[in-house]
Structure formats: structure tokens, C-alpha cells
Amino acid sequence: MDSTDSAKGGQKRSPLDLIMNQLRRKTSFTERKKPSVGRLFRPSESSDKREVGIPELKESEASEGKDNTEPKKDINNVDDETGSVVGWGRVKQFVQKLGKTPHSQNLNLSHCDLTATDMVELATLLPFLPHLEVIELSWNDLVGGSLKALTAHLQHVEKLEVLKLCSCRLTAQDLTALGESFECIPLVEVLDLSWNVGVGAGNFRDFTVHLRSDNRLKELRLVDCQLTESDITALSTALPMLSSLKDLDLSNNKLLVKGMENFTSSLSSVPRLKTLKLSMCGLNKDSFIILGQALRFISDLEHLDLSCNKEASEGLTSLATNLTLLKNLRSLDLHLCCLTKEDLLALVQVAPSLKELRELDVSSNKSVGSTLQDLLHALPLHQIFKLPLNNCALSTSACHVLAAAMVTLKQLESLDLSWNKCVGENLGEFLEPLQESECKLQELRLCSCNLTTEDVLHLESACQRGVLSRLKLLDLSYNGSVGDGGWTSLFGKASGLKGLEELDVSLHPAASLSASPWLNSMLEALSQLPSFTRLSLQHWALSSAEKEKLEKYLKKKNVILECDSPATPTPKAEG
């Protein structure tokens, strides 16, 4: 019996101890003697964090010298601690090799071109990540077909709460492996399998058959998985096992009428549902009717997204009545649904009952222009903070009505009037009612609104009054009618946009104007915007010298520039 065994009083070593010894043998003496970066730069930590064994801290503590007068530790504990530090070193090496930052609780390896070999190596590292809460492996196309190598070891990360596998080309075998291992990670609350074609094609059942009623799943995202009717049936059958579900996203999956019937009939199993997203699901009038009848099962719903269902015309007339069952509804998204005037008038009838509504998106529906006045009168405008009305064919009279309502829209944070030509020559009406102490606008989008120089001067005046000091995004693109004087004046009062982060003044691709008259004013303005991060200057003509000057300046400020216009040669001085 060797000295180590004698010290343990003849006690047998566990398999884990043997594995740790093998790992330590593979680590050279020189590597183990290297000073830890964490020892030199470790921030102060509370004692309770040290006790739970966070790998970053154990690594630092193991590398620190100990006083010889300290009592000897139990050899088992020494082995465990040393093994943990060595294992964490392997984790760091693996993660950093992929260009990511290691973290003991959040493993983000998205967009890393992971291979099957990487998955095998990652699996061997899980024992050294006992505190892991998030695994993000999305956008790794080669993960598909090799997930079992990882899931077979998920028992080592039983504290896992979030698992994201978007766009990994998952196969039926991967879904089976994930389902079989799900009981090993009982605390998982978020599962994202979006953009995996293999999740559909009748394969989703390979995962759902393994679900148990004691799982804690709260968010399930299956965006664009090409779910078939049989997949929807599998989901519907599994919903009774998902009683904690709060967020379900099935967007970009074709849901036929029969599939909708199966799905909605099971919604009574998820009474806690807060968010339901069915965007671009091919829903039609009949689908809306079926969904409306099921809303009584999910009366706590707060967010409903039915956008981009272009066949849903006239469906809202039947669905609207049932919206009154959703007493907590905060956001309703119906953009690009080909809503008719009758649909919108049906919404007007129930709007007064939607007392918690904060966001309403009816953009890209041409009929909004003729019903906006009725809609604004019915909505709880004093609490609305997002109201996109882009591409709604607003008339001049509708613009006047909306401008008059700005006084009541005190909580408004986002206003999008893009592609409504009537805003041109009328922007002042929207801006004049705004008060510095009350305006909360953070996003203002006015793309392709036929803005004139006078409109931009009204915007300049609003900046000068300080009413746009909270604005983070300003989109003035595709407004080629604004003169050079308008841009120069606006940038001259940029200090009133002190919170601005993004600015878009791009021209339409067919346009070609010179930015020279106001370029210097803009550069001076940017120096007064400490939070600025992105500038879009597409299709403006710049000389080679101007473009070089702009790029150099923005690079120094860490500002992203979007400018695809080829630089025009700098004119040579005559003589």
C-alpha cells in the first residue's frame, strides 16, 4: 500500500478520483506551476460565493501559496479541489480556442463552427461545470447528428436552466437523445430549437414522448421548424406535461386548420401561458375563428402575435369579440394581416375593454388610414408606449388626428410613421405638442415620408427645446427632398439629442446627392453624442478624402458606419 493509501487508512479510491489523477498526470509540472491570472486580477468576492465552489475562484485559491502553519487538509478534499482547478483550466482552454470568454455559469458557443469532435470534447468538460445554468450552442450546423455525445453527460449540469440549439441541423436521433436526457436537467426553463428543419417532418414526437409532468419548462421556441400536422399533434399531446409553460413561439410554421383545432383544444393544459406567437403561420379566417374560441383557456395571456398572416383578412371580425377575455393583454401584433375596414372596426368595438394594452401593431395594413380616428378614440392612449403605423396609407386628415393625439400619448416610447407620404409638410404638428418634461420617445422612424427642409427645421426646433433628449434611434432615410440647409441646421442642434445611439439618413438607391455641404456639421454633431454607435449614410456621394476622413473619425469613436456608396475622386485644385 502506497503512502497515499496509508494516509486514507486503507480506504478505496472512487472512480472519480482515478479520473482526476489521470487528468493531473496529463498536466505538466510546468503548467501546474504557472501563476493564475485570476490570482493577480481577481475582484473581491463575498464569502458565500467562495463556499459554493465557483471554478473561477477555486482556480485562484488553488494557485495561492498557503502558510505552513495551517492544519493539513484531508487528502480527498485536496484531490477534489486540485482536480476542479485542472478541469476548469481545460474548460478555459477549450472555450478560448473558439474565441469565446469562459464563464462557469454561462456557456455561449454560438457561431463557433462546432464539429462532432468538439461535442465529444465538450461532453468531457461538463463534470467541471457543476454550476452551469446556460448552454448556448446555436448556429453550429455541424452539431446535428452528434448531440447524443453531449446529452449523455447532462447529469453533470443539473442546475441547467437555459438550453438553446437554434439552427444546428438537428436530426430525429438528436431529438430522441435530448428527450431521453431531459429528466437529468429538471430545472430547465427555456428550450429553443428554432430553425431546425429536422425538428419537423414528423420528428418532434421523438422528443415529446420523453417529457414528464414534473418538468419546469416555461419557454418553448420552435420558430421555422417546418412543423407538420403530426408534429403539431405531438405538441398538443405533450401540452398536459407542460403545465408551467408561459411562452410558446410557433412562428414561421404552416398551421393548417386541422392542426389549429388539435393545438387549440389542448390550450386548457397551459393556463399560465403569457405569450403566444403565431406569426407567419398561414392562418386564415377559419384559423382566427378557431383560435378565438380557445382564448378562454388562456385568459392570463399578455402578448399575442398574429402578424404576417396575409390570409387572415376578415378573420379579426370573429376573433375580436374573444379578445375581451384577455383581461391582462398588454401587446397585440396584427401587422401585415391584410385587415379590412370591418376587421379594424371590430377591433375598435373591443378596444375599450383592453385596459392593460400597452402595444398595438396594425402597421402595413392599408385600411388603417380610413379607421385611425375611430381606433385612437377607442384605445387607452395615456398608457400606450408603442404604436407602429408605418405603411398604413394614412391620409392628411388621419395625420392631423394622430398629431392631435400626441398630447395624450405621454408614455409613447416608439413611433413609426415610415412610408406614409402625408407626414411630409406636417411633421411640425407631431412635434409641437411634445413637452420636455413629459416626452419619453426613444425611437422615431420617418423613413420615406416625403419630408421637406421645413420638416427637418421643425425637428431642429424640437431638439433645441430638449424634447428629444431621450431619443435613441432616429430614422430619416429615403427623404431626398430635404435641402442641405435642413441637414446643416439639424446637426447644429445635435446637443439636444444627447441620448442618440443610431442615426439613418440614407438616400433611396435611385438618388445620388452630395453630402459635402453638411458633412463637417455632422461630424461636429457626433462629437456631442457620447452614446452614439451607428451611422447609416447609404447612397450619399462622398469624395475619397471625405470618406477617408469620415471612416477615420468614426473608427476612433467606435461607431459602425453603413455607407456602400463608392467614393468619388477628390477634385484637383486648378493651377
Side-chain angles (χ1 to χ4, degrees), residues 448-550:
S448 192
C449 284
N450 272 1
L451 297 185
T452 64
T453 300
E454 186 176 353
D455 290 318
V456 174
L457 292 178
H458 282 295
L459 194 58
E460 173 215 346
S461 176
C463 292
Q464 191 171 11
R465 291 189 289 121
V467 298
L468 299 178
S469 60
R470 300 184 184 183
L471 205 64
K472 295 181 178 180
L473 184 150
L474 178 59
D475 184 355
L476 300 174
S477 59
Y478 290 17
N479 287 290
S481 298
V482 178
D484 295 333
W487 296 122
T488 302
S489 297
L490 175 62
F491 294 133
K493 295 297 184 295
S495 58
L497 296 169
K498 57 185 178 183
L500 196 65
E501 298 175 3
E502 300 181 42
L503 173 64
D504 190 346
V505 291
S506 300
L507 288 177
H508 190 278
S512 180
L513 298 173
S514 173
S516 300
W518 48 265
L519 185 62
N520 288 332
S521 297
M522 184 188 69
L523 291 177
E524 185 177 345
L526 295 184
S527 66
Q528 305 175 55
L529 306 177
S531 303
F532 199 71
T533 60
R534 184 182 295 271
L535 172 65
S536 188
L537 207 63
Q538 307 277 32
H539 312 303
W540 284 96
L542 298 170
S543 68
S544 300
E546 288 171 339
K547 191 168 186 179
E548 182 180 353
K549 178 181 179 181
L550 178 62

